[in-house]
């Protein structure tokens, strides 16, 4: 769900900032580029890591290696990115 929430918010950014319908892709880094979003370095690294986990985590058969420790930083990092993106949407004048 972390990946999905950032994906949808990035697609909202594409719609708001580019006045375009977002493409049917799931790559967060690519979506950020299409939206014209430049994340701070540490956030950019997190988004790239999260992007690689999006499809894998949608299918229960592939979750065997996801321990609490492995997945631990995703919720907090997602909240940070989500708040950062939401601030940009709110400050865009919409």
């Amino acid at each position: 769900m972390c990946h999905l929430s950032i994906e949808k918010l990035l697609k909202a950014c594409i719609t708001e900032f580019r006045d375009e319908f977002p493409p049917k892709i799931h790559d967060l880094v690519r979506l950020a580029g299409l939206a014209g979003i430049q994340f701070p370095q540490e956030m950019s690294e997190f988004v790239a890591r999260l992007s690689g986990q999006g499809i894998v985590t949608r299918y229960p058969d592939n979750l065997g290696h996801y321990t609490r420790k492995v997945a631990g930083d995703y919720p907090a990092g997602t909240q940070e990115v989500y708040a950062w993106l939401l601030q940009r949407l709110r400050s865009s004048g919409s």
Side-chain angles (χ1 to χ4, degrees):
M1 293 292 131
C2 292
H3 179 281
L4 191 56
S5 65
I6 299 304
E7 178 184 329
K8 297 303 181 185
L9 196 50
L10 284 169
K11 288 181 176 184
C13 289
I14 291 170
T15 301
E16 179 66 27
F17 303 152
R18 300 285 190 176
D19 197 27
E20 297 175 1
F21 196 79
K24 294 179 181 180
I25 62 172
H26 306 291
D27 183 325
L28 302 180
V29 174
R30 201 161 151 221
L31 288 168
L34 292 170
I37 298 289
Q38 292 186 333
F39 291 109
Q41 182 62 34
E42 187 174 308
M43 197 175 284
S44 179
E45 292 169 5
F46 173 79
V47 170
R49 234 179 349 149
L50 181 61
S51 188
Q53 301 305 309
I55 301 303
V56 175
T57 56
R58 289 184 192 201
Y59 302 99
D61 294 344
N62 298 329
L63 295 178
H65 71 282
Y66 275 91
T67 63
R68 185 177 300 268
K69 182 175 179 164
V70 170
D73 72 326
Y74 286 106
T78 298
Q79 287 177 332
E80 182 181 348
V81 173
Y82 189 92
W84 190 87
L85 286 169
L86 195 57
Q87 179 61 39
R88 265 115 203 106
L89 278 172
R90 288 184 177 155
S91 66
S92 72
S94 57

